[in-house]
mmCIF file with all atom_site columns, all heavy atoms in Angstrom:
data_model
loop_
_atom_site.group_PDB
_atom_site.id
_atom_site.type_symbol
_atom_site.label_atom_id
_atom_site.label_alt_id
_atom_site.label_comp_id
_atom_site.label_asym_id
_atom_site.label_entity_id
_atom_site.label_seq_id
_atom_site.pdbx_PDB_ins_code
_atom_site.Cartn_x
_atom_site.Cartn_y
_atom_site.Cartn_z
_atom_site.occupancy
_atom_site.B_iso_or_equiv
_atom_site.pdbx_formal_charge
_atom_site.auth_seq_id
_atom_site.auth_comp_id
_atom_site.auth_asym_id
_atom_site.auth_atom_id
_atom_site.pdbx_PDB_model_num
ATOM 1   N N   . GLY B 1 8   ? 27.940 10.461 71.038 1.00 96.00 ? 8   GLY B N   1
ATOM 2   C CA  . GLY B 1 8   ? 28.293 10.693 72.420 1.00 96.00 ? 8   GLY B CA  1
ATOM 3   C C   . GLY B 1 8   ? 27.313 11.575 73.193 1.00 96.00 ? 8   GLY B C   1
ATOM 4   O O   . GLY B 1 8   ? 27.700 12.167 74.155 1.00 96.00 ? 8   GLY B O   1
ATOM 5   N N   . GLY B 1 23  ? 25.827 16.024 61.434 1.00 98.00 ? 23  GLY B N   1
ATOM 6   C CA  . GLY B 1 23  ? 24.677 16.166 60.406 1.00 98.00 ? 23  GLY B CA  1
ATOM 7   C C   . GLY B 1 23  ? 24.774 15.070 59.362 1.00 98.00 ? 23  GLY B C   1
ATOM 8   O O   . GLY B 1 23  ? 23.708 14.608 58.933 1.00 98.00 ? 23  GLY B O   1
ATOM 9   N N   . ARG B 1 55  ? 29.743 1.336  61.300 1.00 95.00 ? 55  ARG B N   1
ATOM 10  C CA  . ARG B 1 55  ? 30.123 0.505  60.183 1.00 95.00 ? 55  ARG B CA  1
ATOM 11  C C   . ARG B 1 55  ? 30.255 1.269  58.849 1.00 95.00 ? 55  ARG B C   1
ATOM 12  O O   . ARG B 1 55  ? 29.837 0.719  57.747 1.00 95.00 ? 55  ARG B O   1
ATOM 13  C CB  . ARG B 1 55  ? 29.195 -0.734 60.065 1.00 95.00 ? 55  ARG B CB  1
ATOM 14  C CG  . ARG B 1 55  ? 29.319 -1.652 61.201 1.00 95.00 ? 55  ARG B CG  1
ATOM 15  C CD  . ARG B 1 55  ? 28.888 -3.039 60.830 1.00 95.00 ? 55  ARG B CD  1
ATOM 16  N NE  . ARG B 1 55  ? 27.592 -3.289 61.527 1.00 95.00 ? 55  ARG B NE  1
ATOM 17  C CZ  . ARG B 1 55  ? 26.636 -4.020 61.073 1.00 95.00 ? 55  ARG B CZ  1
ATOM 18  N NH1 . ARG B 1 55  ? 26.827 -4.599 59.811 1.00 95.00 ? 55  ARG B NH1 1
ATOM 19  N NH2 . ARG B 1 55  ? 25.556 -4.209 61.677 1.00 95.00 ? 55  ARG B NH2 1
ATOM 20  N N   . ILE B 1 65  ? 40.784 15.604 44.080 1.00 98.00 ? 65  ILE B N   1
ATOM 21  C CA  . ILE B 1 65  ? 40.166 15.013 42.919 1.00 98.00 ? 65  ILE B CA  1
ATOM 22  C C   . ILE B 1 65  ? 39.803 13.538 43.219 1.00 98.00 ? 65  ILE B C   1
ATOM 23  O O   . ILE B 1 65  ? 38.772 13.097 42.958 1.00 98.00 ? 65  ILE B O   1
ATOM 24  C CB  . ILE B 1 65  ? 41.180 15.083 41.721 1.00 98.00 ? 65  ILE B CB  1
ATOM 25  C CG1 . ILE B 1 65  ? 41.622 16.530 41.347 1.00 98.00 ? 65  ILE B CG1 1
ATOM 26  C CG2 . ILE B 1 65  ? 40.674 14.327 40.465 1.00 98.00 ? 65  ILE B CG2 1
ATOM 27  C CD1 . ILE B 1 65  ? 42.666 16.569 40.298 1.00 98.00 ? 65  ILE B CD1 1
ATOM 28  N N   . ILE B 1 68  ? 36.594 13.438 45.692 1.00 98.00 ? 68  ILE B N   1
ATOM 29  C CA  . ILE B 1 68  ? 35.193 13.573 45.111 1.00 98.00 ? 68  ILE B CA  1
ATOM 30  C C   . ILE B 1 68  ? 34.977 12.296 44.186 1.00 98.00 ? 68  ILE B C   1
ATOM 31  O O   . ILE B 1 68  ? 33.821 11.844 44.120 1.00 98.00 ? 68  ILE B O   1
ATOM 32  C CB  . ILE B 1 68  ? 35.064 14.879 44.255 1.00 98.00 ? 68  ILE B CB  1
ATOM 33  C CG1 . ILE B 1 68  ? 33.687 15.053 43.694 1.00 98.00 ? 68  ILE B CG1 1
ATOM 34  C CG2 . ILE B 1 68  ? 36.079 14.993 43.095 1.00 98.00 ? 68  ILE B CG2 1
ATOM 35  C CD1 . ILE B 1 68  ? 32.580 15.378 44.714 1.00 98.00 ? 68  ILE B CD1 1
ATOM 36  N N   . SER B 1 75  ? 28.779 6.396  46.107 1.00 98.00 ? 75  SER B N   1
ATOM 37  C CA  . SER B 1 75  ? 27.411 6.712  45.947 1.00 98.00 ? 75  SER B CA  1
ATOM 38  C C   . SER B 1 75  ? 26.802 5.698  44.923 1.00 98.00 ? 75  SER B C   1
ATOM 39  O O   . SER B 1 75  ? 25.775 5.198  45.187 1.00 98.00 ? 75  SER B O   1
ATOM 40  C CB  . SER B 1 75  ? 27.247 8.145  45.377 1.00 98.00 ? 75  SER B CB  1
ATOM 41  O OG  . SER B 1 75  ? 25.887 8.464  45.383 1.00 98.00 ? 75  SER B OG  1
ATOM 42  N N   . MET B 1 94  ? 36.144 20.471 40.783 1.00 98.00 ? 94  MET B N   1
ATOM 43  C CA  . MET B 1 94  ? 35.141 20.950 39.857 1.00 98.00 ? 94  MET B CA  1
ATOM 44  C C   . MET B 1 94  ? 34.785 19.972 38.772 1.00 98.00 ? 94  MET B C   1
ATOM 45  O O   . MET B 1 94  ? 33.678 19.858 38.357 1.00 98.00 ? 94  MET B O   1
ATOM 46  C CB  . MET B 1 94  ? 35.552 22.364 39.297 1.00 98.00 ? 94  MET B CB  1
ATOM 47  C CG  . MET B 1 94  ? 35.372 23.362 40.330 1.00 98.00 ? 94  MET B CG  1
ATOM 48  S SD  . MET B 1 94  ? 33.662 23.547 40.761 1.00 98.00 ? 94  MET B SD  1
ATOM 49  C CE  . MET B 1 94  ? 33.863 24.129 42.476 1.00 98.00 ? 94  MET B CE  1
ATOM 50  N N   . GLU B 1 95  ? 35.793 19.306 38.237 1.00 98.00 ? 95  GLU B N   1
ATOM 51  C CA  . GLU B 1 95  ? 35.524 18.352 37.170 1.00 98.00 ? 95  GLU B CA  1
ATOM 52  C C   . GLU B 1 95  ? 34.614 17.210 37.732 1.00 98.00 ? 95  GLU B C   1
ATOM 53  O O   . GLU B 1 95  ? 33.661 16.775 37.035 1.00 98.00 ? 95  GLU B O   1
ATOM 54  C CB  . GLU B 1 95  ? 36.803 17.754 36.574 1.00 98.00 ? 95  GLU B CB  1
ATOM 55  C CG  . GLU B 1 95  ? 36.534 17.046 35.227 1.00 98.00 ? 95  GLU B CG  1
ATOM 56  C CD  . GLU B 1 95  ? 37.682 16.251 34.724 1.00 98.00 ? 95  GLU B CD  1
ATOM 57  O OE1 . GLU B 1 95  ? 38.720 16.056 35.523 1.00 98.00 ? 95  GLU B OE1 1
ATOM 58  O OE2 . GLU B 1 95  ? 37.630 15.755 33.518 1.00 98.00 ? 95  GLU B OE2 1
ATOM 59  N N   . VAL B 1 110 ? 30.984 19.659 51.621 1.00 98.00 ? 110 VAL B N   1
ATOM 60  C CA  . VAL B 1 110 ? 30.934 20.775 52.542 1.00 98.00 ? 110 VAL B CA  1
ATOM 61  C C   . VAL B 1 110 ? 32.194 21.580 52.156 1.00 98.00 ? 110 VAL B C   1
ATOM 62  O O   . VAL B 1 110 ? 33.386 21.092 51.969 1.00 98.00 ? 110 VAL B O   1
ATOM 63  C CB  . VAL B 1 110 ? 31.180 20.151 53.939 1.00 98.00 ? 110 VAL B CB  1
ATOM 64  C CG1 . VAL B 1 110 ? 31.378 21.445 54.889 1.00 98.00 ? 110 VAL B CG1 1
ATOM 65  C CG2 . VAL B 1 110 ? 29.910 19.384 54.427 1.00 98.00 ? 110 VAL B CG2 1
ATOM 66  N N   . ASN B 1 111 ? 32.027 22.821 51.917 1.00 98.00 ? 111 ASN B N   1
ATOM 67  C CA  . ASN B 1 111 ? 33.099 23.791 51.650 1.00 98.00 ? 111 ASN B CA  1
ATOM 68  C C   . ASN B 1 111 ? 33.157 24.723 52.790 1.00 98.00 ? 111 ASN B C   1
ATOM 69  O O   . ASN B 1 111 ? 32.381 25.627 52.894 1.00 98.00 ? 111 ASN B O   1
ATOM 70  C CB  . ASN B 1 111 ? 32.869 24.524 50.311 1.00 98.00 ? 111 ASN B CB  1
ATOM 71  C CG  . ASN B 1 111 ? 34.001 25.422 50.021 1.00 98.00 ? 111 ASN B CG  1
ATOM 72  O OD1 . ASN B 1 111 ? 34.889 25.727 50.787 1.00 98.00 ? 111 ASN B OD1 1
ATOM 73  N ND2 . ASN B 1 111 ? 34.107 26.106 48.814 1.00 98.00 ? 111 ASN B ND2 1
ATOM 74  N N   . GLY B 1 120 ? 45.987 31.825 49.768 1.00 96.00 ? 120 GLY B N   1
ATOM 75  C CA  . GLY B 1 120 ? 45.374 33.034 50.425 1.00 96.00 ? 120 GLY B CA  1
ATOM 76  C C   . GLY B 1 120 ? 45.720 33.009 51.867 1.00 96.00 ? 120 GLY B C   1
ATOM 77  O O   . GLY B 1 120 ? 46.902 32.900 52.319 1.00 96.00 ? 120 GLY B O   1
ATOM 78  N N   . ARG B 1 134 ? 28.393 27.882 42.150 1.00 98.00 ? 134 ARG B N   1
ATOM 79  C CA  . ARG B 1 134 ? 27.293 27.835 41.149 1.00 98.00 ? 134 ARG B CA  1
ATOM 80  C C   . ARG B 1 134 ? 27.816 27.566 39.796 1.00 98.00 ? 134 ARG B C   1
ATOM 81  O O   . ARG B 1 134 ? 27.166 26.909 38.983 1.00 98.00 ? 134 ARG B O   1
ATOM 82  C CB  . ARG B 1 134 ? 26.419 29.143 41.248 1.00 98.00 ? 134 ARG B CB  1
ATOM 83  C CG  . ARG B 1 134 ? 25.535 29.296 40.138 1.00 98.00 ? 134 ARG B CG  1
ATOM 84  C CD  . ARG B 1 134 ? 24.372 28.203 40.228 1.00 98.00 ? 134 ARG B CD  1
ATOM 85  N NE  . ARG B 1 134 ? 23.459 28.221 39.099 1.00 98.00 ? 134 ARG B NE  1
ATOM 86  C CZ  . ARG B 1 134 ? 23.765 27.622 37.983 1.00 98.00 ? 134 ARG B CZ  1
ATOM 87  N NH1 . ARG B 1 134 ? 24.812 26.894 37.882 1.00 98.00 ? 134 ARG B NH1 1
ATOM 88  N NH2 . ARG B 1 134 ? 22.771 27.656 37.044 1.00 98.00 ? 134 ARG B NH2 1
ATOM 89  N N   . GLN B 1 152 ? 24.512 24.808 65.109 1.00 98.00 ? 152 GLN B N   1
ATOM 90  C CA  . GLN B 1 152 ? 23.300 23.961 64.975 1.00 98.00 ? 152 GLN B CA  1
ATOM 91  C C   . GLN B 1 152 ? 22.931 23.853 63.471 1.00 98.00 ? 152 GLN B C   1
ATOM 92  O O   . GLN B 1 152 ? 22.531 22.678 63.089 1.00 98.00 ? 152 GLN B O   1
ATOM 93  C CB  . GLN B 1 152 ? 22.154 24.629 65.788 1.00 98.00 ? 152 GLN B CB  1
ATOM 94  C CG  . GLN B 1 152 ? 20.813 23.823 65.634 1.00 98.00 ? 152 GLN B CG  1
ATOM 95  C CD  . GLN B 1 152 ? 20.902 22.462 66.435 1.00 98.00 ? 152 GLN B CD  1
ATOM 96  O OE1 . GLN B 1 152 ? 21.328 22.478 67.587 1.00 98.00 ? 152 GLN B OE1 1
ATOM 97  N NE2 . GLN B 1 152 ? 20.572 21.381 65.808 1.00 98.00 ? 152 GLN B NE2 1
ATOM 98  N N   . GLY B 1 181 ? 32.863 27.274 60.790 1.00 98.00 ? 181 GLY B N   1
ATOM 99  C CA  . GLY B 1 181 ? 33.459 25.990 60.927 1.00 98.00 ? 181 GLY B CA  1
ATOM 100 C C   . GLY B 1 181 ? 34.150 25.821 62.191 1.00 98.00 ? 181 GLY B C   1
ATOM 101 O O   . GLY B 1 181 ? 34.282 24.756 62.804 1.00 98.00 ? 181 GLY B O   1
ATOM 102 N N   . ALA B 1 192 ? 17.436 9.377  69.426 1.00 94.00 ? 192 ALA B N   1
ATOM 103 C CA  . ALA B 1 192 ? 17.806 8.268  68.628 1.00 94.00 ? 192 ALA B CA  1
ATOM 104 C C   . ALA B 1 192 ? 16.583 7.620  67.971 1.00 94.00 ? 192 ALA B C   1
ATOM 105 O O   . ALA B 1 192 ? 16.532 7.376  66.764 1.00 94.00 ? 192 ALA B O   1
ATOM 106 C CB  . ALA B 1 192 ? 18.411 7.167  69.493 1.00 94.00 ? 192 ALA B CB  1
ATOM 107 N N   . PRO B 1 207 ? 15.353 -5.395 36.494 1.00 96.00 ? 207 PRO B N   1
ATOM 108 C CA  . PRO B 1 207 ? 16.336 -5.268 35.361 1.00 96.00 ? 207 PRO B CA  1
ATOM 109 C C   . PRO B 1 207 ? 15.592 -5.796 34.131 1.00 96.00 ? 207 PRO B C   1
ATOM 110 O O   . PRO B 1 207 ? 14.852 -6.658 34.114 1.00 96.00 ? 207 PRO B O   1
ATOM 111 C CB  . PRO B 1 207 ? 17.409 -6.168 35.758 1.00 96.00 ? 207 PRO B CB  1
ATOM 112 C CG  . PRO B 1 207 ? 17.270 -6.329 37.274 1.00 96.00 ? 207 PRO B CG  1
ATOM 113 C CD  . PRO B 1 207 ? 15.842 -6.177 37.564 1.00 96.00 ? 207 PRO B CD  1
ATOM 114 N N   . PHE B 1 226 ? 24.994 -0.102 42.006 1.00 98.00 ? 226 PHE B N   1
ATOM 115 C CA  . PHE B 1 226 ? 25.821 -1.203 41.612 1.00 98.00 ? 226 PHE B CA  1
ATOM 116 C C   . PHE B 1 226 ? 25.584 -2.481 42.479 1.00 98.00 ? 226 PHE B C   1
ATOM 117 O O   . PHE B 1 226 ? 25.441 -2.221 43.638 1.00 98.00 ? 226 PHE B O   1
ATOM 118 C CB  . PHE B 1 226 ? 27.414 -0.867 41.630 1.00 98.00 ? 226 PHE B CB  1
ATOM 119 C CG  . PHE B 1 226 ? 27.712 0.181  40.491 1.00 98.00 ? 226 PHE B CG  1
ATOM 120 C CD1 . PHE B 1 226 ? 28.984 0.797  40.538 1.00 98.00 ? 226 PHE B CD1 1
ATOM 121 C CD2 . PHE B 1 226 ? 26.920 0.459  39.493 1.00 98.00 ? 226 PHE B CD2 1
ATOM 122 C CE1 . PHE B 1 226 ? 29.364 1.645  39.576 1.00 98.00 ? 226 PHE B CE1 1
ATOM 123 C CE2 . PHE B 1 226 ? 27.240 1.358  38.491 1.00 98.00 ? 226 PHE B CE2 1
ATOM 124 C CZ  . PHE B 1 226 ? 28.430 1.993  38.558 1.00 98.00 ? 226 PHE B CZ  1
ATOM 125 N N   . GLU B 1 251 ? 19.305 17.053 19.754 1.00 98.00 ? 251 GLU B N   1
ATOM 126 C CA  . GLU B 1 251 ? 18.044 16.829 20.489 1.00 98.00 ? 251 GLU B CA  1
ATOM 127 C C   . GLU B 1 251 ? 18.273 16.013 21.811 1.00 98.00 ? 251 GLU B C   1
ATOM 128 O O   . GLU B 1 251 ? 17.725 16.508 22.803 1.00 98.00 ? 251 GLU B O   1
ATOM 129 C CB  . GLU B 1 251 ? 17.129 16.124 19.560 1.00 98.00 ? 251 GLU B CB  1
ATOM 130 C CG  . GLU B 1 251 ? 15.644 16.409 19.751 1.00 98.00 ? 251 GLU B CG  1
ATOM 131 C CD  . GLU B 1 251 ? 14.838 15.711 18.691 1.00 98.00 ? 251 GLU B CD  1
ATOM 132 O OE1 . GLU B 1 251 ? 15.150 15.896 17.521 1.00 98.00 ? 251 GLU B OE1 1
ATOM 133 O OE2 . GLU B 1 251 ? 13.965 14.936 19.098 1.00 98.00 ? 251 GLU B OE2 1
ATOM 134 N N   . GLY B 1 255 ? 17.768 17.603 25.488 1.00 98.00 ? 255 GLY B N   1
ATOM 135 C CA  . GLY B 1 255 ? 16.704 16.988 26.419 1.00 98.00 ? 255 GLY B CA  1
ATOM 136 C C   . GLY B 1 255 ? 17.356 16.630 27.750 1.00 98.00 ? 255 GLY B C   1
ATOM 137 O O   . GLY B 1 255 ? 16.781 16.801 28.762 1.00 98.00 ? 255 GLY B O   1
ATOM 138 N N   . VAL B 1 274 ? 14.360 30.501 53.512 1.00 98.00 ? 274 VAL B N   1
ATOM 139 C CA  . VAL B 1 274 ? 14.847 31.835 53.913 1.00 98.00 ? 274 VAL B CA  1
ATOM 140 C C   . VAL B 1 274 ? 14.293 32.213 55.245 1.00 98.00 ? 274 VAL B C   1
ATOM 141 O O   . VAL B 1 274 ? 13.458 31.590 55.799 1.00 98.00 ? 274 VAL B O   1
ATOM 142 C CB  . VAL B 1 274 ? 14.334 32.962 52.896 1.00 98.00 ? 274 VAL B CB  1
ATOM 143 C CG1 . VAL B 1 274 ? 14.881 32.648 51.454 1.00 98.00 ? 274 VAL B CG1 1
ATOM 144 C CG2 . VAL B 1 274 ? 12.828 32.946 52.846 1.00 98.00 ? 274 VAL B CG2 1
ATOM 145 N N   . ALA B 1 330 ? 11.792 42.695 48.087 1.00 98.00 ? 330 ALA B N   1
ATOM 146 C CA  . ALA B 1 330 ? 12.290 44.080 47.632 1.00 98.00 ? 330 ALA B CA  1
ATOM 147 C C   . ALA B 1 330 ? 11.237 44.964 47.095 1.00 98.00 ? 330 ALA B C   1
ATOM 148 O O   . ALA B 1 330 ? 11.458 46.152 46.872 1.00 98.00 ? 330 ALA B O   1
ATOM 149 C CB  . ALA B 1 330 ? 13.445 43.890 46.591 1.00 98.00 ? 330 ALA B CB  1
ATOM 150 N N   . SER B 1 334 ? 13.623 50.592 48.236 1.00 97.00 ? 334 SER B N   1
ATOM 151 C CA  . SER B 1 334 ? 14.363 51.362 47.151 1.00 97.00 ? 334 SER B CA  1
ATOM 152 C C   . SER B 1 334 ? 15.844 50.961 47.170 1.00 97.00 ? 334 SER B C   1
ATOM 153 O O   . SER B 1 334 ? 16.497 51.194 46.126 1.00 97.00 ? 334 SER B O   1
ATOM 154 C CB  . SER B 1 334 ? 14.221 52.831 47.269 1.00 97.00 ? 334 SER B CB  1
ATOM 155 O OG  . SER B 1 334 ? 14.638 53.269 48.611 1.00 97.00 ? 334 SER B OG  1
ATOM 156 N N   . CYS B 1 347 ? 25.683 39.676 45.458 1.00 98.00 ? 347 CYS B N   1
ATOM 157 C CA  . CYS B 1 347 ? 25.054 40.949 45.063 1.00 98.00 ? 347 CYS B CA  1
ATOM 158 C C   . CYS B 1 347 ? 24.751 41.092 43.644 1.00 98.00 ? 347 CYS B C   1
ATOM 159 O O   . CYS B 1 347 ? 23.691 41.641 43.238 1.00 98.00 ? 347 CYS B O   1
ATOM 160 C CB  . CYS B 1 347 ? 25.887 42.133 45.503 1.00 98.00 ? 347 CYS B CB  1
ATOM 161 S SG  . CYS B 1 347 ? 27.451 42.313 44.530 1.00 98.00 ? 347 CYS B SG  1
ATOM 162 N N   . ALA B 1 358 ? 15.101 47.920 42.577 1.00 97.00 ? 358 ALA B N   1
ATOM 163 C CA  . ALA B 1 358 ? 15.684 48.602 43.730 1.00 97.00 ? 358 ALA B CA  1
ATOM 164 C C   . ALA B 1 358 ? 17.174 48.687 43.517 1.00 97.00 ? 358 ALA B C   1
ATOM 165 O O   . ALA B 1 358 ? 17.738 47.807 42.698 1.00 97.00 ? 358 ALA B O   1
ATOM 166 C CB  . ALA B 1 358 ? 15.427 47.912 45.060 1.00 97.00 ? 358 ALA B CB  1
ATOM 167 N N   . ALA B 1 359 ? 17.815 49.742 44.150 1.00 97.00 ? 359 ALA B N   1
ATOM 168 C CA  . ALA B 1 359 ? 19.338 49.843 44.000 1.00 97.00 ? 359 ALA B CA  1
ATOM 169 C C   . ALA B 1 359 ? 19.916 48.771 44.820 1.00 97.00 ? 359 ALA B C   1
ATOM 170 O O   . ALA B 1 359 ? 19.546 48.598 45.976 1.00 97.00 ? 359 ALA B O   1
ATOM 171 C CB  . ALA B 1 359 ? 19.702 51.196 44.390 1.00 97.00 ? 359 ALA B CB  1
ATOM 172 N N   . GLY B 1 367 ? 39.905 39.916 53.897 1.00 97.00 ? 367 GLY B N   1
ATOM 173 C CA  . GLY B 1 367 ? 41.072 40.164 54.739 1.00 97.00 ? 367 GLY B CA  1
ATOM 174 C C   . GLY B 1 367 ? 41.082 39.280 55.945 1.00 97.00 ? 367 GLY B C   1
ATOM 175 O O   . GLY B 1 367 ? 42.119 39.094 56.606 1.00 97.00 ? 367 GLY B O   1
ATOM 176 N N   . GLY B 1 368 ? 40.046 38.553 56.253 1.00 96.00 ? 368 GLY B N   1
ATOM 177 C CA  . GLY B 1 368 ? 40.105 37.512 57.234 1.00 96.00 ? 368 GLY B CA  1
ATOM 178 C C   . GLY B 1 368 ? 39.160 37.821 58.407 1.00 96.00 ? 368 GLY B C   1
ATOM 179 O O   . GLY B 1 368 ? 39.120 36.963 59.334 1.00 96.00 ? 368 GLY B O   1
#
Side-chain angles (χ1 to χ4, degrees):
Chain B
R55 288 204 258 149
I65 300 175
I68 184 74
S75 187
M94 283 302 148
E95 191 191 13
V110 175
N111 179 352
R134 174 63 189 86
Q152 179 69 50
F226 289 169
E251 208 176 305
V274 294
S334 58
C347 70

